[in-house]
Amino acid sequence: MLQKKDEKQNLKIGVLLPQSKEYPEVGVNFLNGIKLYFTLHNNQFERGEAELLVEDVALGTERLALEKVRKLIAQDNVLMITGLLEFGVGLQVGLTTQMADVPTLFAGLGESTIPHDYIPDNLFFHTLQFWQAHFHLGKYVAGKFKGAKIKIVSSLLDCGYDHLRAFRLGLRAEGVEAAEEIVLSAYDVDELKVEVDEISISKNAVYVAILHPKLLNGFIDCYGHLLDVLISPPFYTGNSTLKKPWAAVLPDRSNPQFVKFRDGLKEYLDQEPDMFHVLGYQQGQIIYNALESLEGPLDDNKHIINMLSTFERDTIVGPSRMNKRDHTIGSTISVCEGININEDYKTLITIDEDVSAIDETKDLYLQKNAFTQPYLFF
């Protein structure tokens, strides 16, 4: 039966989630982050409660994502579409939701970029800016280690190619090129040892290891003690106490919002937070704020899109704001030094800069020119 919009009803939010047997935690932790935000805050709005309608999109292919989103719009009559989706696929979904004028917000850790002119008015992205962080890390390394030989170690296995390319661009922005690039074909740590043992490790060089976490752990555990300087992503989980520079958007652990999030995660799920919990919780806040913007029974889409396009709030990663140029909600990037993202670390510099607007990164915005594996960090 039909229902008047001014009557109390559930506010339906469609959620597209990737599922994978190899990386089952990704979608689950992201979804739990969203649910946690609505659990810790009053899930009651002027027109009713929020209801999440979750659709499994497997590996997040365009065909399946479009199939699920058409069902959410036509059958479930959702108010908004959200989820964790590779941004190139997200763009195609957004072009479909545009025809129905449905606000759409997709999240990603290390998002792929798309040309700004292709993004419809109803489509927005939320990211923890991993490739942008690597761009700034490259600039930092170029300035900090002037004259040093910089050797980049990467792998064909789940390597964050956007991150690697962005790091190179950061070096070049400071007039520096890597002295050597070593691309491993190793699939596991044993294969990594065989390959690296054939390489002459130079103590007087700066090594940059942009590797999948499993290989990163093996590389640092086996060879970290041989290196004078090592740069890497902040996702090392081994036993080495080697401190190294890395860059990321980081939760502000002293922020009362983060304390509430961490304590809630422990209370309800008995878990320590990872980056997908953080991303989901922040996504939950953005959706929550969007539902708060509904002023009456009319123009729901207009109110939500207006809120998203002007979003500027304090979140668990600090001040976050909408970049109107590329429809992306981002936050401050920090270059730090420490063992990993979960241990004590020292913040070296913080950066608030729209890297989408500078010439050095324009190559990353060419259509289909940038892709990041959405399961990279598990």
Side-chain angles (χ1 to χ4, degrees):
M1 297 298 178
L2 297 177
Q3 188 176 26
K4 293 181 179 180
K5 277 194 170 184
D6 57 355
E7 294 178 357
K8 288 283 185 180
Q9 56 183 296
N10 285 353
L11 304 173
K12 298 179 180 179
I13 308 297
V15 185
L16 303 181
L17 280 186
Q19 297 294 317
S20 165
K21 292 180 180 178
E22 187 174 6
Y23 305 105
E25 303 96 334
V26 173
V28 171
N29 290 358
F30 175 79
L31 180 61
N32 282 337
I34 296 177
K35 290 180 177 179
L36 183 62
Y37 191 91
F38 280 85
T39 300
L40 299 181
H41 299 78
N42 183 23
N43 183 19
Q44 189 62 243
F45 303 90
E46 184 176 335
R47 295 220 310 276
E49 295 183 353
E51 178 185 1
L52 303 179
L53 303 183
V54 180
E55 292 288 344
D56 177 7
V57 294
L59 294 178
T61 62
E62 181 179 321
R63 181 195 62 78
L64 188 55
L66 289 173
E67 177 185 315
K68 297 292 188 177
V69 83
R70 291 187 185 106
K71 181 257 183 186
L72 287 168
I73 293 174
Q75 297 182 29
D76 298 319
N77 194 29
V78 296
L79 191 64
M80 181 179 177
I81 297 288
T82 189
L84 183 67
L85 208 61
E86 192 275 317
F87 285 1
V89 176
L91 173 61
Q92 299 307 313
V93 172
L95 293 172
T96 297
T97 59
Q98 180 189 33
M99 293 187 287
D101 197 27
V102 175
T104 304
L105 172 70
F106 289 123
L109 287 181
E111 79 291 5
S112 54
T113 57
I114 54 177
H116 309 145
D117 293 342
Y118 285 78
I119 304 173
D121 291 341
N122 71 308
L123 176 62
F124 302 88
F125 301 105
H126 164 223
T127 166
L128 295 184
Q129 300 172 278
F130 281 5
W131 76 257
Q132 292 96 326
H134 277 69
F135 174 78
H136 288 297
L137 183 62
K139 293 184 67 174
Y140 171 81
V141 170
K144 175 71 173 178
F145 303 102
K146 289 182 179 178
K149 290 183 178 180
I150 298 173
K151 300 189 176 186
I152 299 175
V153 181
S154 63
S155 169
L156 298 177
L157 172 63
D158 283 337
C159 182
Y161 293 111
D162 269 359
H163 305 68
L164 175 58
R165 296 170 61 212
F167 181 84
R168 287 196 203 104
L169 292 174
L171 292 178
R172 290 170 188 166
E174 300 298 317
V176 174
E177 293 284 345
E180 183 181 359
E181 293 210 25
I182 303 165
V183 181
L184 306 176
S185 59
Y187 184 81
D188 56 30
V189 175
D190 289 337
E191 292 179 359
L192 177 142
K193 290 178 182 179
V194 172
E195 284 194 74
V196 176
D197 284 344
E198 296 176 355
I199 299 169
S200 177
I201 298 292
S202 306
K203 286 186 66 67
N204 60 346
V206 174
Y207 280 84
V208 183
I210 302 181
L211 296 166
H212 183 280
K214 294 176 183 177
L215 295 182
L216 182 67
N217 284 350
F219 184 80
I220 294 176
D221 288 345
C222 297
Y223 305 101
H225 66 284
L226 300 176
L227 307 176
D228 284 343
V229 180
L230 175 64
I231 316 294
S232 80
F235 304 107
Y236 173 74
T237 57
N239 297 319
S240 171
T241 58
L242 177 66
K243 295 183 178 180
K244 46 208 169 292
W246 42 262
V249 171
L250 298 169
D252 180 356
R253 297 178 185 276
S254 64
N255 187 329
Q257 290 195 56
F258 178 80
V259 174
K260 183 176 184 177
F261 156 72
R262 182 195 61 205
D263 292 349
L265 197 62
K266 187 69 175 176
E267 178 182 356
Y268 286 95
L269 297 172
D270 194 26
Q271 293 180 345
E272 293 297 322
D274 65 19
M275 296 304 284
F276 285 97
H277 289 125
V278 170
L279 191 69
Y281 190 83
Q282 194 170 9
Q283 190 89 340
Q285 178 180 348
I286 299 168
I287 298 167
Y288 191 96
N289 293 156
L291 297 181
E292 286 183 317
S293 73
L294 301 181
E295 299 176 354
L298 301 177
D299 298 324
D300 288 346
N301 299 348
K302 178 181 176 181
H303 289 305
I304 292 175
I305 290 173
N306 181 64
M307 193 289 302
L308 292 174
S309 64
T310 59
F311 183 87
E312 188 169 359
R313 300 283 197 283
D314 187 35
T315 70
I316 57 173
V317 296
S320 301
R321 67 205 69 81
M322 176 61 68
N323 181 338
K324 294 186 178 181
R325 178 180 172 86
D326 61 5
H327 283 214
T328 299
I329 295 173
S331 310
T332 299
I333 292 171
S334 299
V335 176
C336 303
E337 185 176 59
I339 298 172
N340 59 41
I341 205 167
N342 296 317
E343 306 286 341
D344 289 338
Y345 50 79
K346 177 175 66 174
T347 300
L348 303 174
I349 57 172
T350 57
I351 306 110
D352 282 296
E353 181 183 16
D354 177 13
V355 298
S356 70
I358 62 179
D359 288 341
E360 288 87 350
T361 63
K362 63 183 180 182
D363 286 350
L364 289 173
Y365 283 85
L366 298 177
Q367 191 173 22
K368 301 298 183 184
N369 200 35
F371 173 78
T372 301
Q373 218 268 44
Y375 312 119
L376 180 64
F377 301 100
F378 273 84

